[in-house]
Amino acid sequence: MADLSSNPNSNNAENHLNHPKARFMDAMDIIQWEGFWFEPGLVQPAMTFRSCFQAQNNDVVLTSNIKTGTTWLKSLCLCILKNPKPDEDLDLLVEDNPHFHVPTIESTIYSTKPHIDLYKAPSPRLLHSHLPYIVLPDSVKNTDCKIVYIARNPKDTLISMWHFFNSILYPNQDPFPLERTVDCFLSGVHQYGPFFDHVLQYWLESRKNPQKILFLKYEELKRDPKGEVKKLAEFLGKPFATEEEIDKVLWRCSLERLKNLKVNKNGSIVYSVPNSLYFRKGVVGDWKNYLTPEMEEKINQMSSIKLEEHGLFL
Ligand code: PAP
């Protein structure tokens, strides 16, 4: 996630007259497009992505809602696809933040003018989008390119989101009331929301076409990292040869290591978001430290209605 109100494209308000508008956490304008909410500067790039992007059969498109494990997934896929030899000194993650190496298409590629030339990107192209399935380009859906989606428990996603936006929107101030953030989350009025519709679209599509879309869960990656990363590498057509290779990738991509790399302690990639903000606790169940039983109950009810009915338990 790196698309904030400091985006230079945000000011073209006249282009968004017909979109429903809201203000997230009393500080960030968002507008509705195709049933989802976005920071205004992202809508035109998202439209351009949908109409102009031509997928290639060996592309890998990572997808996610925000704060669900994107940085981890980008790091893992980068190691699997671009850094395949575990004994190699080359380590792209030391050189730069994963969001630099694996750009989020709508907030980087199509938000610059002229657009970054994706045709020069080395093959296989490894890209990412936070956009919902419904607005992905037809060529992404209809070619043989692969999609990997990472989902996370809504309560931990919400808490991660709340911390992140507090750091950006209210630095060195009291946090924005959590109760109001829970209400925004449940009503779907937040960046890339509704969360539940976003997850559900990818879940249903992955069930229809599991060869095309791999649906991963953050909690499963935490519980069984070796098994899940093995599955990911096989899906990407780059199975590991040895257990050591898996261990090496997991070590390279571990939160503790990435958090302490010089490039992530300093520096920023997009719109001045410090790299350090992408690495916090990475704990399953951190929501228990923040949510009241009432908030927990409301979110559980929504999960049950929206996701569990479709066989998805997060
Ligand atoms: P984004 O949407 O802004 O790209 P994303 O990477 O999806 O963010 O989510 C950030 C969360 O992933 C943070 O969770 P937390 O707030 O609950 O701590 C962050 O700590 C966690 N995270 C980042 N990198 C890793 C990693 N390598 N392993 C596990 N968790 C990670």
Side-chain angles (χ1 to χ4, degrees):
M1 218 300 304
D3 355 277
L4 297 160
S5 35
S6 54
N7 180 342
N9 292 323
S10 300
N11 293 331
N12 51 356
E14 67 280 8
N15 294 339
H16 306 303
L17 288 176
N18 299 323
H19 295 274
K21 297 176 180 54
R23 207 158 161 78
F24 176 63
M25 286 170 84
D26 281 356
M28 183 181 169
D29 290 327
I30 49 176
I31 62 172
Q32 198 181 34
W33 173 62
E34 296 284 10
F36 287 81
W37 290 90
F38 306 91
E39 185 272 309
L42 287 180
V43 172
Q44 188 57 52
M47 289 174 175
T48 311
F49 174 41
R50 180 164 70 170
S51 57
C52 295
F53 181 77
Q54 195 49 53
Q56 295 168 2
N57 284 332
N58 62 351
D59 283 345
V60 174
V61 182
L62 311 181
T63 50
S64 56
N65 205 299
I66 57 172
K67 302 298 150 198
T68 58
T70 316
T71 315
W72 196 10
L73 180 64
K74 285 185 178 186
S75 309
L76 291 167
C77 292
L78 197 63
C79 286
I80 293 167
L81 289 172
K82 306 281 182 184
N83 242 174
K85 295 199 183 105
D87 51 347
E88 247 178 24
D89 285 339
L90 173 75
D91 184 348
L92 295 171
L93 293 170
V94 172
E95 290 174 12
D96 224 319
N97 177 275
H99 294 283
F100 170 81
H101 292 295
V102 188
T104 293
I105 301 174
E106 66 276 10
S107 58
T108 53
I109 310 291
Y110 292 111
S111 63
T112 55
K113 286 204 171 100
H115 305 318
I116 293 166
D117 187 357
L118 277 175
Y119 293 96
K120 289 186 184 146
S123 177
R125 298 186 302 183
L126 179 58
L127 300 161
H128 167 261
S129 177
H130 279 307
L131 293 172
Y133 184 82
I134 192 172
V135 300
L136 288 185
D138 285 346
S139 71
V140 170
K141 295 174 182 168
N142 300 331
T143 52
D144 285 343
C145 82
K146 295 204 155 139
I147 299 176
V148 183
Y149 185 82
I150 185 156
R152 189 179 189 186
N153 174 286
K155 298 190 284 287
D156 280 330
T157 304
L158 163 68
I159 292 302
S160 185
M161 203 185 281
W162 181 65
H163 278 287
F164 179 82
F165 284 110
N166 274 317
S167 304
I168 302 279
L169 303 172
Y170 296 103
N172 308 316
Q173 295 170 55
D174 288 342
F176 186 78
L178 179 56
E179 194 165 5
R180 290 183 57 201
T181 313
V182 172
D183 289 342
C184 288
F185 189 74
L186 289 174
S187 58
V189 186
H190 59 89
Q191 177 80 305
Y192 294 103
F195 169 88
F196 294 93
D197 293 348
H198 197 286
V199 188
L200 187 61
Q201 283 185 4
Y202 281 98
W203 169 247
L204 295 177
E205 290 301 325
S206 74
R207 296 235 295 191
K208 272 191 242 160
N209 199 350
Q211 310 303 321
K212 165 98 182 157
I213 307 182
L214 178 66
F215 189 96
L216 295 176
K217 296 179 186 171
Y218 184 92
E219 292 72 22
E220 283 299 298
L221 260 170
K222 282 284 204 183
R223 192 187 60 79
D224 177 19
K226 278 195 185 190
E228 290 299 291
V229 167
K230 205 165 160 238
K231 186 165 84 183
L232 173 62
E234 280 163 11
F235 179 78
L236 297 175
K238 296 272 183 187
F240 292 107
T242 63
E243 286 284 308
E244 289 70 39
E245 284 184 15
I246 306 182
D247 290 339
K248 181 89 177 214
V249 166
L250 286 170
W251 170 76
R252 277 187 165 167
C253 300
S254 65
L255 177 63
E256 278 314 306
R257 174 175 186 261
L258 293 181
K259 195 183 209 169
N260 289 306
L261 290 176
K262 198 167 148 204
V263 66
N264 294 324
K265 287 185 146 184
N266 312 306
S268 60
I269 304 293
V270 194
Y271 309 137
S272 310
V273 176
N275 289 344
S276 59
L277 286 190
Y278 294 105
F279 309 95
R280 199 179 63 91
K281 283 191 189 167
V283 166
V284 173
D286 189 38
W287 61 266
K288 291 178 187 149
N289 296 316
Y290 299 93
L291 297 179
T292 63
E294 292 72 31
M295 294 172 184
E296 180 194 350
E297 178 57 24
K298 279 202 245 178
I299 302 173
N300 287 350
Q301 265 186 20
M302 182 71 97
S303 277
S304 160
I305 295 166
K306 290 277 199 174
L307 306 181
E308 291 172 14
E309 295 264 306
H310 295 276
L312 177 56
F313 295 83
L314 289 178

